[in-house]
Amino acid sequence: MQSSKPLQLRHVFGFRADVSNPFSFVDEHNVIFSAGHSVIVHNIEDKTQTFFGGQPLSSGTTVCNVITAIDVYTPKKIVAVAEKTEKSAVIQLLELSASVDRDKKERRKRRKMIHCSDIQSREIIALKFSHDGKFLLAMGGAPDWCVMTYQREKGRVVQILRNQTISSMPFYSGSYCPSDNNLIVCTGHKVLKFYKAEQVELRRTISPVAIAMGKRDPQDYSAHCWDQDKRLLVATEHGEILMFDGTEFRGAFDTQFSQPIFCIVSYSRGFVCGGDNGTLLAFERGDDDDKDAYKKVNQLSMVNEHHSITHLAVAPSEEQLACIVASNQIYTVNLSQIEILKQQDCDEDEDDDDEWLDEKGVAAENDANFQLLLTAFHCKGINGLDLCMRKPYVVSCGDDRSVKIWNWHEKKMIMSKVFAEDPLCVAVHPNGLHIVVAFADKLRMMNILMDDIRAYKDFSIKGCTEVKFSNGGQYFAAINASAVQIYETYTYHNIATLRGHTAKVTSIWWYFDDSQLVTASTDNSVLVWNIHHNSRTQEHQHKGCSYSSACLDRNKLLYASGNDETLKVIADGEVRNIIDLPVGISSLELSKSPQNTLLFSCTNTGMLLVFNTASIARSPDDEEVIDSTKQQQTDEAIKYVEMQAHTQAITRLRVSSDDSMLVTASADGSVCIFDIMSEDELEPQAANIADQQIEEKQKKKKSELQQLSWAEEILVSRSDLEQRLAEIEKLRKHVDDLRLHNEHEIRMKEVNYQQKLREVNERFEEELDQDRNKFNALRTERDNMQNKYEDTLSSLTLKHEENLVEVEHYHQQKMKSEKQRYNDLQMRLDTLQKEWKEDKQRKQALYDRELSALQQEYEMKIAEQKEKIAEISAKIQKLTREFEEIKVLLEQDADKEIADLKAKYDEILKTERTQTLELRGNNGMLKREFAGLQQRIKSGNDKMEKSMQEQNKLIEEMRRLEKDIDGYEREINERDSTIKEKKKMIQEVEKKNQELEKFKFVLDYKIHELDRQIKPREAKIEQIDTQICEMKSEVDAYVLNNRLLALKVKDLKLKLKGLQNEQSAHSQMNQSIVNLIKVIVHELSVLNQEAQCNNTEKLKQGIIDLHKQFADVDLSHPLANDADGGNQEEQENRPEQAEEQASNLSVHEEFQRRREYMERTVQGLQKKLVKDAAVAKKDSTRIMQENVALIKEINELRREIVLAKQLQNQSKSDKSVTNSLKRSIRENQQQINQLSKLKQHLQSDHNDQQPM
């Protein structure tokens, strides 16, 4: 086989829920699950996948290898995968380590294989790591039902316990205790076992532990988990949770759920259970530690999901909970808010009554709790597959009666349609707008709409197993039993019917230019047709081979496969080459490129075989000419590449139009997408060039594919478009209504705010007046204070000058004394420094002598300690060597003892097996004899029972006849008495008829009176209508008046704003005058001091400068004030200004009050008008209905009276008429009573209405 693989797995759409622990979180963004024949690590964010393939099939095997169990040790990202093979079970340990590359993260894998050849079972049903990851628990299936423990660090099996249960009581799962690796629990159908591991003579041994559960009967222990308190919770088929503290049974917890629980998982706040019909139960830890250790917080159910939840997985952050359903779907729930999800559902159900919410929106809200984590998958096998050319679509159909459309570029499912019957095959048009689906009774052409798949043409072709569009899309061919029918795509005209096979056609293949069609059949023939001439261009027949698939390359060579496990190369109807294969091929597919054409084939074991057509197209005659070296090369080239992609038979495979991708579908419900590697990508792999080159080429190829312009056209039906437009218009109207409502509310709020603003302005004006008065009082007080301040300031300046002279004289004398003191202290400091230096030199010499002596002493001690340490280390090494030798000898002795014991017990087991076989034979003979005797006893008992039954029947028949005789006698007597009674009844009926005629006259009179009462009420209604019109005109007048008032309010606001601006200007001017006065006062005080000094010239010059400085000052702008008093005055002026502004806004209060009063009166009149109109309408309709009912009942009574008279005349001749008369009389009596009640009711209504 070739060393390099031409196919590389890109993406898988599928999921297997039948695996033990099928789904786990690796971290917050990556999950791991099984699909096909791979274990997949899926990134939730970018939807990339990393694959770990299973064990390849050995040559000649016909049984698929199947992955049976998975477990993940999250802290170290170690994955254990168990696989069922033909010889023995295999466990792989995969180690994931993230390595950051330039562009993306790549996960490199390290594998370790564990071949379970020591056990008889070929299947591992469950795997579980211990809490610290040191041990791995593996549980085997039939026939020996073993429990095996594996030590991961040492890489060896610790112990295998066989025959732990029987096939009628199988195991389901097992686990280690999180706090104790020595405690193991295994659960199954009516089996619950604990195991304890102990260290005995340097070996770890596991032994069962007996548990006491009282008088509880064994039941189906479906799942178990360990909670945060290290307690074991076991779920049962009766909806109970059994609690164990270690191996001690604590009691049962009732979940109040009558159906079985299939899975259970714990988290920090409690645990969650999954049951039937998609039901999820959430429990949280309670306050008590006894019976009520947990309390139920919620119960959720999936919408339109009738399968059971088989597995649960909690994300590391405990934000998400993954729910695995038996239909191969993965749902997620917000675990952090699980206790409030049901309340949200209730609120959503109440909101569903809104008119503008459509049915799809309701369904989406009701199922908002459960969302698909990845995408929807097929829940059963896939039997149809096709690829689109102009869109990145893959279309599939399956046994779950669904047709699904996948977008392989975006890695998601975009559409799904479920039908009432099973689709057999499917084909998609190259433009991606149409598909053809075959059913058992017809073939349907369908349109792919925006959100639906809708049929628009049916063809009467029954049981079509394959249908294909041509490469150009102008034709499609469909198998019809032994014929093939070809139709034009858009005219639906049958252009050809190819009849040449005598048995069912198995496959069809379009040639690259759509001029020829290849058909294969079970009649041992392969035909090539020219569809334009409806003629055969090539035909081949081989006896003993029922062909399943065939295709034609560009060199006119046929490749055919059948049930003889060979691949035939046919040229001009003759076999050119035959390639023997270990398994039979079910389908073939050719790549379309002329260079390096590849032939892809699939088998019923899930294998893909890839051939190079250049190597298999040679004939044996051509090979005889080639020398021996070339012969070896051709033999090597003919070999093919094997890849196992699925665990069951591959039903369909397709190659993309650009030969870049291969898609396969299988009976295991998964769709696999492969990248086809070109020769340029395969050569570096064969030459072992660095991985970076391959990655760069793969990136380049993917970037080229992403640059393709996919078609974006979609089909939309007119009805759907009109419905969408109608919904949009409805929503737009709803938005307009809401906008008007909001505008009305805003206007009402503005009115309220204006009223509040007026009140605030009034208060502000009042406060402004008060502050103005305060300001005037403070100004006078300030003037008085300023005069006092000037007087005190002049006196203080004089005192300050006198004190200044005294202080200067005092400080000069003090400076002299301090200088003399400084000189004395400096001399003393010099003497002390000399003494300190001499003392320092003396102490340093003493310190050096003592330090050298101590160094010598401690060096001698260190040497002695080193010698002692060397002696002790030598002793330790000697002891360790002796210990290692003893340990090796003990392990060898233990291994020998184990091998001897194993051989001994194997011999004992063989003898016991032979004895059991003999006992089984004897037991079988005894069982057959016992069965024969039981059959004889049963036959005798059956005869006795039949005779007793016949006797009882005869006795019952006699009793029944006697009862009939008595009944007939009683009936004769009763009929005589009834004849007499009926005569009396006829007379009574005649009297009642006369009374009814009288009552009829009274009712007619009542009807006339009611008609007279209706007319004045109608006139009153017309008067009310006129009043309503007048009130509407008054409302319009009020509206106009309100608008005029609003304009006046705006004018008044503008005037108010102008007044406020004038006020601010005046206040500014006042402030500037105050500041100017302060500056002038300050300057005058300075000039006054100079005048006191008799300096007249300076006084004169100062006055002139002061005049020049302040003559041209603009008082409209504020002047700067250096004094602190000015700022205080400005702060005091602010509240006075606010009071003045508030006093100007008290004008409109009365207008606002009158306006509100008028609005309230108008609203009250409108409500009263509507109420009176409704009451009048109800009264008129009720009276009319009652009149109609009375007329109908009177007519019925008349007909019944006529019928009674006829029956009276015929009563003498026919006795049976009396019974009908009696019934009619009773009915008449009831109707008369009803009419009397109705009459009383009308009279009471009339009496009630007269006062009104």
Side-chain angles (χ1 to χ4, degrees), residues 75-114:
K76 293 187 177 180
K77 295 185 178 179
I78 300 173
V79 183
V81 181
E83 191 171 359
K84 177 183 178 182
T85 63
E86 189 177 14
K87 294 181 180 179
S88 63
V90 177
I91 301 174
Q92 298 185 57
L93 293 181
L94 309 174
E95 191 171 336
L96 307 178
S97 61
S99 61
V100 179
D101 202 1
R102 292 179 182 177
D103 299 330
K104 65 179 183 179
K105 288 186 178 180
E106 296 180 353
R107 289 176 176 79
R108 297 180 180 175
K109 303 148 271 194
R110 289 197 298 170
R111 297 172 182 254
K112 189 170 185 179
M113 306 296 296
I114 306 170

Side-chain angles (χ1 to χ4, degrees), residues 1192-1205:
K1192 287 181 180 179
E1193 288 175 356
I1194 289 166
N1195 293 330
E1196 289 177 358
L1197 287 171
R1198 288 175 179 174
R1199 288 194 293 271
E1200 289 173 358
I1201 289 167
V1202 173
L1203 182 62
K1205 289 180 179 179

Side-chain angles (χ1 to χ4, degrees), residues 370-471:
F370 294 90
Q371 297 178 355
L372 287 171
L373 182 60
L374 306 180
T375 186
F377 304 119
H378 282 285
C379 61
K380 293 183 181 179
I382 301 173
N383 52 24
L385 180 75
D386 201 5
L387 264 172
C388 180
M389 184 186 298
R390 289 286 291 120
K391 293 185 178 182
Y393 286 174
V394 176
V395 183
S396 63
C397 64
D399 296 333
D400 55 358
R401 297 184 175 181
S402 68
V403 174
K404 297 184 185 296
I405 301 176
W406 316 83
N407 190 321
W408 57 264
H409 187 66
E410 297 179 358
K411 300 173 184 176
K412 65 179 182 179
M413 188 200 72
I414 60 174
M415 201 175 300
S416 179
K417 179 79 170 180
V418 180
F419 297 93
E421 51 187 339
D422 293 333
L424 304 179
C425 59
V426 67
V428 62
H429 195 274
N431 61 13
L433 299 177
H434 316 286
I435 61 172
V436 178
V437 185
F439 296 95
D441 56 345
K442 57 182 164 296
L443 184 73
R444 284 187 171 181
M445 176 78 79
M446 301 184 178
N447 284 331
I448 301 176
L449 302 179
M450 184 170 58
D451 55 358
D452 193 13
I453 301 173
R454 193 169 297 173
Y456 68 94
K457 180 65 177 176
D458 291 348
F459 301 91
S460 59
I461 298 176
K462 296 181 180 181
C464 177
T465 56
E466 188 165 6
V467 60
K468 276 189 179 180
F469 278 97
S470 61
N471 296 311

